[in-house]
Amino acid sequence: MVEFRIDRRSGVATYLQIVQQTQQALRLGLLEPGDRLPTAREVVQATAINPNTVLKAYRELEREGLVEARRGLGTFVRATLGGAASAAGSPLHDELADWARRARETGLEREDMAALFTSVLDDTYRAPRARRTQQGDENA
C-alpha cells in the first residue's frame, strides 16, 4: 500500500501531490492493478488533510482511468503506467541509483540532482524534434 507524503511548502496543490505520488507508484510498479488505495479516512489520519482533498485526488485518478471506486469496498488500481524498465530493481533503475549515489558523494544536493536530471531529460526529449526540424529544413 502507498503512503502519501504531503509537502505543504512545495507550492503544489495537496490533491495534485496525491495524484502525482500515485502516478509515480504506478510507474515504478509499486502499485499494480487490483491493489487498493488507502481509504480517505486512512489518508486523513496519516496526513492531517481535508477528506474532500483526498476524494478530489481519487476522482482525478478515476477520471484518468487509473483507479476505480467500488462502493463499500474502496478505491482500486485499474491500470498501470510505465513498463518493466522503470520498475525498481530493473537495470536502468539500478544504474540511475548508482548515478545518484555518485552525484551525492561529489556534493550535489537533491535539488541540484533534480535540476541536472531535468535538464538532461529536456535535452533528450527535445533532440529528436530538433533533428526532425533540421532534416525538414535540409529537404526543403
Side-chain angles (χ1 to χ4, degrees):
M1 186 174 301
V2 66
E3 290 184 27
F4 298 112
R5 301 191 192 290
I6 305 304
D7 181 356
R8 287 164 172 65
R9 297 174 292 147
S10 73
V12 176
T14 304
Y15 88 96
L16 280 177
Q17 290 183 49
I18 293 171
V19 169
Q20 291 168 350
Q21 289 174 36
T22 303
Q23 291 169 334
Q24 183 175 6
L26 290 167
R27 280 187 183 90
L28 295 174
L30 301 174
L31 284 174
E32 296 179 349
D35 288 348
R36 185 177 70 80
L37 294 181
T39 65
R41 176 178 287 153
E42 291 168 338
V43 176
V44 167
Q45 288 174 343
T47 61
I49 61 174
N50 188 305
N52 290 328
T53 301
V54 180
L55 296 175
K56 182 176 181 178
Y58 284 10
R59 279 192 306 272
E60 177 64 19
L61 291 163
E62 192 168 12
R63 187 188 65 73
E64 293 177 7
L66 299 174
V67 302
E68 68 179 336
R70 297 181 191 158
R71 192 169 193 83
L73 297 174
T75 303
F76 293 83
V77 175
R78 286 185 59 193
T80 190
L81 296 171
S86 63
S90 76
L92 289 175
H93 177 277
D94 294 343
E95 288 176 33
L96 187 56
D98 289 341
W99 174 84
R101 276 190 289 278
R102 288 193 319 269
R104 187 173 185 189
E105 288 168 2
T106 65
L108 286 180
E109 296 294 328
R110 180 185 179 98
E111 294 79 14
D112 300 327
M113 283 189 257
L116 180 58
F117 186 75
T118 300
S119 173
V120 170
L121 277 178
D122 290 347
D123 290 346
T124 301
Y125 283 92
R126 184 178 20 244
R129 205 171 331 146
R131 280 195 292 270
R132 281 196 305 268
T133 302
Q134 287 173 347
Q135 289 170 349
D137 292 343
E138 292 169 2
N139 295 332

